[in-house]
Amino acid sequence: MDENRSMSGMRPLRSRATTDGLDRAPHRAFLRAMGLNDEAIARPFIGVVSTAGEITPCNLMLATQAAAAKAGVAKAGGTPREFTTISVSDGLSMNHQGMKFSLVSRELIADSIETVVRAHCYDGLVGFAGCDKTLPGVMMGMVRCNVPSVFVYGGSALPGRGRGRDLTILDSYEAVGAVLAGTMQLQELEAVERACLPSAGACGGQFTAKNFPSF
């Protein structure tokens, strides 16, 4: 098969712009510096992007999922290239100046993904995200890049248990209101706070900062 054609024989691989030809020797040297051999360089280059980071529980476990996707890409005959982008936690940025950056983060995510994929001429993309800003941000980036793409939701957090029932982060918001209204004791609020979000994962609701007043 002509190395300048895709595996289907229908269209040249985008990544050949960075790997083929005499004047691409320096490009290939950069790839070899990352441990890629001739076989890996000849395969389609597939970006694997996630919003993994220690910023929010929604995205905390995405690096592990991205690693599994890389293994799958390699097994299927591609060369995975992992990179990451930012996330902003609505839960931690609300009700202070940080709220101004929550909605904006979607554009930053999309911009950063488009920048990497277009600059490096990747042939496809697998994306992982876990909250109501990172999901649309990654998807927006995929649409802009217009390459074959797969989006994967990182998964929801487990509910907690307390007061004889399941608890979620929503119960903590309601409990704050109940304390302010004088219908709940502070000790009860503290118990809800400690029990309502026992694991990493998305919080199970669209508790976006745009729904809260700015200060």
Side-chain angles (χ1 to χ4, degrees):
M1 183 179 70
D2 184 346
E3 67 178 3
N4 291 319
R5 308 297 289 182
S6 68
M7 295 177 67
S8 67
M10 297 299 293
R11 183 178 301 173
L13 291 171
R14 296 160 58 97
S15 57
R16 298 313 88 177
T18 66
T19 62
D20 290 358
L22 178 68
D23 60 348
R24 297 304 192 260
H27 301 61
R28 294 191 293 271
F30 275 101
L31 296 172
R32 297 186 196 285
M34 293 185 284
L36 300 187
N37 57 22
D38 289 344
E39 182 180 358
I41 292 172
R43 294 173 176 172
F45 280 62
I46 309 299
V48 179
V49 61
S50 75
T51 53
E54 296 177 335
I55 298 171
T56 164
C58 307
N59 303 287
L60 187 63
M61 301 303 293
L62 297 183
T64 301
Q65 298 179 25
K70 289 176 62 181
V73 168
K75 186 175 181 180
T79 296
R81 298 286 83 197
E82 184 178 6
F83 63 101
T84 59
T85 185
I86 61 116
S87 64
V88 170
S89 170
D90 282 340
L92 295 172
S93 66
M94 68 175 66
N95 291 338
H96 58 80
Q97 290 293 323
M99 291 174 61
K100 297 177 180 179
F101 298 92
S102 181
L103 286 172
V104 176
S105 70
R106 296 182 304 183
E107 298 293 335
L108 295 174
I109 292 166
D111 288 348
S112 65
I113 291 173
E114 182 181 14
T115 297
V116 172
V117 172
R118 290 190 180 277
H120 293 261
C121 301
Y122 289 157
D123 302 300
L125 185 63
V126 181
F128 292 85
C131 66
D132 70 333
K133 296 301 175 296
T134 58
L135 270 72
V138 171
M139 293 180 196
M140 288 160 60
M142 289 177 166
V143 171
R144 292 181 189 179
C145 293
N146 193 29
V147 298
S149 301
V150 175
F151 175 82
V152 183
Y153 170 53
S156 298
L158 294 172
R161 288 291 298 178
R163 311 180 79 193
R165 60 181 178 84
D166 285 349
L167 296 174
T168 71
I169 192 68
L170 181 59
D171 291 287
S172 69
Y173 296 131
E174 294 176 346
V176 169
V179 171
L180 293 174
T183 59
M184 178 183 286
Q185 297 297 314
L186 181 59
Q187 293 83 352
E188 293 181 79
L189 168 60
E190 292 174 348
V192 171
E193 171 193 332
R194 296 175 188 279
C196 67
L197 195 57
S199 74
C203 59
Q206 302 297 304
F207 309 117
T208 172
K210 67 183 180 181
N211 294 331
F212 293 84
S214 179
F215 293 93

